[in-house]
Amino acid sequence: MFFSKRQRALDKEISKGAKFYSENEETITINIKSQNHDQIFSEYNYEDKTTLNPNLCDYLWDNAKLAPLDKDLTIKIYDKSNLNSEEVGCAIRTHYRREYVDAKNELKKINIFSLACMLVGIVFLIALAFLHNAFNNYYIDILLEISSWVFIWEAVDRWFLERPSIRRKCIRIQKLYSAKIVIVK
C-alpha cells in the first residue's frame, strides 16, 4: 500500500497499537466511567430517562467501530451514583433504534435508486439496439450508449460500493443495541 519504507514501518506501528481487544475474546468490553446521571443520560430528560448523553453516544460509537463485526459487545459502566441497568439499557436501545431506522431508510433508498438506475440503463440499451437496427445515426448511438453505461455504472457503484458500508453500519448498530450492560458500583 505504501511505497516508502518509513511509511510502511509507521503503518505497522500504528496498526499494531490499534488493537483494543485480544484475539481470543468472544465479547468486546467498552468501559465507561460515570460520576453522575448526567454523564449517561441527556440533561434534557425529565423523568423517563430515555435519551442518552450525546458525548456518551459518540464514545460508544467510536469504540464500537474498533471492534470486529463478529464479536459481541459488553458495555461496562463503573458508576458512583445509583444507576439502574434497565434504564440505561432502555436509553441505549431507544437511541440505537432511531439510528438503525435511519440507516435502514438510507439502505432502502440506495436499493431503490440502484434498481431504478439499472432499469433506466437497460431501457437505454434496448433503445440503442432498436435504433441501431432501424437507422444508423452515429450521434444518437453514442448518446444512448453513453447514457446507458452511465446509469448502469451508477447502479453498480451504489449497490456494490456504497451499500456494504451502510450494511456494516447497521450491523454495528445492532451490536450496540443488543450489547450486554453491566453496572459496577
Side-chain angles (χ1 to χ4, degrees):
M1 182 168 161
F2 296 107
F3 296 115
S4 169
K5 185 176 182 178
R6 183 176 182 273
Q7 289 176 337
R8 286 193 307 266
L10 285 173
D11 180 55
K12 285 182 184 179
E13 180 182 333
I14 292 170
S15 297
K16 190 186 305 182
K19 299 234 180 200
F20 294 102
Y21 58 91
S22 68
E23 296 292 331
N24 56 3
E25 289 183 13
E26 291 183 22
T27 63
I28 305 300
T29 302
I30 300 173
N31 294 311
I32 299 170
K33 179 182 77 169
S34 171
Q35 302 289 337
N36 55 27
H37 287 271
D38 290 339
Q39 290 178 326
I40 303 294
F41 300 109
S42 175
E43 61 188 29
Y44 300 109
N45 280 326
Y46 183 58
E47 288 181 1
D48 56 350
K49 297 181 182 174
T50 58
T51 308
L52 287 177
N53 186 336
N55 293 332
L56 177 63
C57 297
D58 293 341
Y59 180 78
L60 288 173
W61 184 253
D62 289 341
N63 283 299
K65 286 192 300 188
L66 297 173
L69 292 176
D70 61 338
K71 307 267 187 187
D72 291 331
L73 293 176
T74 300
I75 300 172
K76 190 179 280 189
I77 302 172
Y78 296 93
D79 180 42
K80 290 190 176 182
S81 61
N82 293 326
L83 281 177
N84 185 351
S85 63
E86 282 84 28
E87 286 178 346
V88 175
C90 179
I92 288 173
R93 284 189 298 277
T94 300
H95 176 77
Y96 287 108
R97 182 178 298 124
R98 292 179 193 141
E99 294 282 329
Y100 188 73
V101 167
D102 288 343
K104 287 290 283 187
N105 287 338
E106 190 176 347
L107 199 59
K108 185 177 178 181
K109 286 178 187 176
I110 285 178
N111 290 342
I112 291 170
F113 184 78
S114 295
L115 180 64
C117 281
M118 184 60 76
L119 291 176
V120 169
I122 290 171
V123 166
F124 276 131
L125 278 177
I126 292 171
L128 175 66
F130 283 132
L131 288 177
H132 188 68
N133 288 335
F135 62 95
N136 195 2
N137 186 337
Y138 178 73
Y139 297 112
I140 293 176
D141 285 350
I142 292 297
L143 182 67
L144 287 175
E145 188 176 340
I146 291 172
S147 299
S148 64
W149 289 114
V150 164
F151 280 103
I152 290 172
W153 174 252
E154 187 63 29
V156 168
D157 177 52
R158 292 283 178 103
W159 183 262
F160 290 108
L161 300 178
E162 286 184 28
R163 187 173 173 267
S165 66
I166 296 172
R167 288 191 71 226
R168 282 190 301 275
K169 180 180 177 182
C170 287
I171 292 170
R172 289 194 198 287
I173 292 171
Q174 288 175 348
K175 295 286 184 183
L176 282 166
Y177 180 86
S178 65
K180 181 181 175 185
I181 299 167
V182 177
I183 296 179
V184 179
K185 305 239 185 244

